[in-house]
Structures are given as structure tokens and as C-alpha cells.
Amino acid sequence: MRAVQVKEFVRGPQDLKVTDLTDLTPSPNTYLIAVHAAATNFFDLLQIRGKYQNQPPLPWIAGAEFAGVVLSAPSSSKTPRFQKGDRVFGSSQGGYATQVCAREEALMPVPSGWGFLEAAGLMVTAPTGYAALVLEARIRKGEWVLIHAAAGGVGLAAVQIAKAFGATVIATAGSKRKFEVAKEFGADHTIDYNTEGWAEQVKKLTPKGKGVDVVFDPVGMVNTSLKCTAWGGRIVIVGFAAGNIEKVAMNRVLLKNISLVGLHWGLYTKEAPELVEKVWEGLFLLIKQEKFKGTVYTDREFRGLETVSQALGMLERRETWGKAVVAVPQSAESKL
């Protein structure tokens, strides 16, 4: 097999190398997957530098999100959910490789009509967007929703989910191309969050200037968003892409009766496993209804593990939109 192996922490993605390794031997409770596509994430950039909260012992294989074909099912299971030859997507350490091992709960079936590239970026962003808006914000038809960094992977997922539930979407982004992408995925209005006074622009778009009912924030823009959130509004915090942990003006929260709630999708499996199935049922229904589509960055192609460093570099420089996904060619022996 071939993989992006980290033997020591690196300065950045430009230092990553592809290595030839012995084929994986799955444990009795894991599937062996032939990887056909691997998606990039910001936490990959932290992990390769040794700055992420989850650091495997060196050496390890980078990457987490993937899509591919089952090569073997767990030997310990008499009734595995997936069989050899099934198309799956999922998340497990070691996604930047031609093979990966994963537990059953970390895998999902590739939706009918979807390719590996589209499916590879589903496992993290789609349920984050759904859980934030549907479970935590309790989004309702007719509401106004402000989605920050709307052209990012989780942002585009949120845009589609909000529209599917009948909301009017105001999308923030930082470039003309990203405005175009947000609108292609359903956003009704776009705002440049680099512009001074953008919160006032948001308010002016809403009926009678009342402000938005829901804010979806993966960036760290709560304080400014409070200025354009309606009385009784809800703000869901899903990340800090800007790099700063905010100190929130709690007097505004009190005076406007605003609810602040955090969303860490990764902990749902441990803390609320009964809701994980509910979230995926909802997402697969939206996919079946053609209200949710893949968010793969298509302005350029990443093909081969050698392009992982390029994809991560562009992600870090905010030069991509949606999910930057790398196509992983398989050798003839592992093609199914």
C-alpha cells in the first residue's frame, strides 16, 4: 500500500511525503477498505504539526475522511452490516492511503448515484450542519438564518439543510467566487464579512430589520453576530476557524433573550448515540429528495496521494471552497 506517513511532526503540508508500506492487516473488529477518495480537513493541518488534541503515537498515517470499497469485513462479526465489494464512506485515522481500517460505526453506505469524491467529504461536515441546525437550533420554516463561512465544507452543508427546512439564508464569505458558490448551493443573499458594518447589512435584509432567527458560526463571530440576531434568536457555535476564542458580551445575550449553544459532533457517538442514527436518517432523506448534494471543490483536480500536500496547502490558505477531495487511484490488485 501507499500512504502519507508522518514519522515526525512537520512545519506544514509541503513537507508531507508518500511512502510505500506493507498492506494493512485488519483487527478482528474492523473492516479493511480500499480508499478511492480522501477528503481534507483543518484538523489534519493541526495533527501533522503535533498540535491537535488527538495525536497517535509516531509514526502514523495522516488523514481521516475517505470513501472506498470494502475489501474484508470484521472476522469477529457473524452479521456485518457491509460485505466485500460494498461502497462505503467514513472516518478513521489513516485516510490518506490506498487502504484504511475502520470500525463499523465509523462507516456509512455511499448514497445511490453518488461517486467516491462526493461521498468522501460527507462524514464530518454534513452531520455537523444537520445536528447544529435541526437538533440544536430547532430551525423552522420561514425563519431567517445567517451562515458564516458559507462557502466552506460545513457552511455549504448548512446552507442546503437550512433551505431544505424552508429558511431564508444569508451567507457570509470573503470573495466573489465564494459568493457565487454559496448562491449555487441555495443561499438567498450574500454578505462580505470583511466589510465594515456587515451586521447592519444583515439586519436590513430581514423583515422590518428585526435580525436573523438563527446564526450558524464555524468561525468565531458571535460578538458581531449578536448585533444582527433577532430577539429570542439562537446562535450555534460549531468552530473557531478564525483562530480566536471569543469573549462574548453576555449583556447583549441577556437583553435580547438569545440562546447560545455549542455543537461538537464528534462527541455525539459517546454522549448521545441515539441521536446519531436520527441525524443520518434525516440526511439520507434529504439526499434521496435531491435537497442535499456533494460539496466537492471542483475548480481544480487533486489526483494521487502526492497531491494531498497541495490540497491541504490550498485549504490552509483559504483558496478552496467546499471540500477539497483527493482522488486515490488503486492498483489493479485492489480494484473491485
Side-chain angles (χ1 to χ4, degrees):
M1 64 174 280
R2 305 181 74 236
V4 177
Q5 187 183 51
V6 177
K7 296 180 180 178
E8 59 183 6
F9 299 130
V10 297
R11 294 171 300 167
Q14 71 277 5
D15 296 326
L16 295 174
K17 305 294 182 185
V18 180
T19 306
D20 290 317
L21 300 170
T22 304
D23 285 353
L24 297 177
T25 301
S27 65
N29 61 351
T30 60
Y31 288 83
L32 179 62
I33 313 295
V35 177
H36 287 255
T40 59
N41 287 285
F42 275 104
F43 60 76
D44 295 334
L45 291 162
L46 295 174
Q47 196 179 52
I48 63 176
R49 293 181 169 102
K51 297 180 179 180
Y52 193 51
Q53 61 260 34
N54 179 22
Q55 292 290 157
L58 294 166
W60 45 269
I61 297 171
E65 274 191 298
F66 59 87
V69 176
V70 174
L71 294 177
S72 67
S75 59
S76 63
S77 176
K78 294 182 180 179
T79 57
R81 180 182 181 186
F82 304 106
Q83 304 295 328
K84 183 178 180 179
D86 285 351
R87 300 164 73 243
V88 296
F89 67 92
S91 179
S92 185
Q93 183 69 52
Y96 296 149
T98 54
Q99 295 180 356
V100 69
C101 291
R103 298 176 66 90
E104 188 162 285
E105 60 267 26
L107 297 172
M108 289 287 168
V110 173
S112 176
W114 282 47
F116 291 120
L117 289 176
E118 292 78 16
L122 266 179
M123 199 68 180
V124 175
T125 56
T128 296
Y130 193 96
L133 292 174
V134 180
L135 299 187
E136 302 296 347
R138 305 177 308 284
I139 189 172
R140 295 184 290 270
K141 184 177 180 180
E143 291 192 312
W144 285 69
V145 178
L146 174 63
I147 297 175
H148 289 306
V154 71
L156 290 179
V159 168
Q160 295 181 85
I161 292 162
K163 291 302 298 179
F165 278 79
T168 299
V169 172
I170 301 174
T172 70
S175 72
K176 180 181 178 181
R177 176 60 180 138
K178 291 183 178 181
F179 299 152
E180 293 171 351
V181 170
K183 286 207 165 186
E184 287 171 10
F185 279 79
D188 300 285
H189 307 278
T190 56
I191 296 286
D192 187 344
Y193 53 41
N194 294 313
T195 303
E196 187 175 349
W198 63 260
E200 192 58 35
Q201 295 178 47
V202 170
K203 283 186 69 175
K204 288 179 180 179
L205 288 171
T206 62
K208 299 181 180 180
K210 72 179 182 69
V212 296
D213 303 289
V214 175
V215 177
F216 178 89
D217 184 14
V219 180
M221 301 176 71
V222 172
N223 269 320
T224 310
S225 298
L226 286 169
K227 298 177 182 179
C228 58
T229 302
W231 191 92
R234 293 91 74 199
I235 299 178
V236 187
I237 302 150
V238 299
F240 308 98
N244 298 316
I245 307 299
E246 290 184 281
K247 293 182 179 180
V248 177
M250 295 305 290
N251 60 319
R252 290 182 184 169
V253 176
L254 183 150
L255 292 172
K256 298 180 78 172
N257 208 51
I258 290 171
S259 298
L260 299 180
V261 61
L263 187 284
H264 187 312
W265 173 247
L267 282 178
Y268 267 66
T269 302
K270 177 184 177 183
E271 302 292 345
E274 71 282 359
L275 294 178
V276 174
E277 184 176 353
K278 180 179 179 181
V279 166
W280 281 111
E281 285 177 356
L283 282 168
F284 280 121
L285 178 60
L286 294 184
I287 290 170
K288 184 178 180 180
Q289 295 172 338
E290 298 184 350
K291 294 180 179 179
F292 191 98
K293 61 183 179 179
T295 60
V296 181
Y297 173 72
T298 55
D299 289 358
R300 65 158 288 179
E301 181 185 52
F302 302 104
R303 184 170 181 81
L305 291 171
E306 290 78 9
T307 66
V308 166
S309 59
Q310 298 168 33
L312 284 173
M314 290 184 67
L315 177 69
E316 186 168 43
R317 295 189 298 273
R318 306 296 200 274
E319 294 173 356
T320 62
W321 51 262
K323 292 288 288 191
V325 182
V326 177
V328 182
Q330 285 284 317
S331 65
E333 297 79 41
S334 57
K335 280 186 178 179
L336 289 173

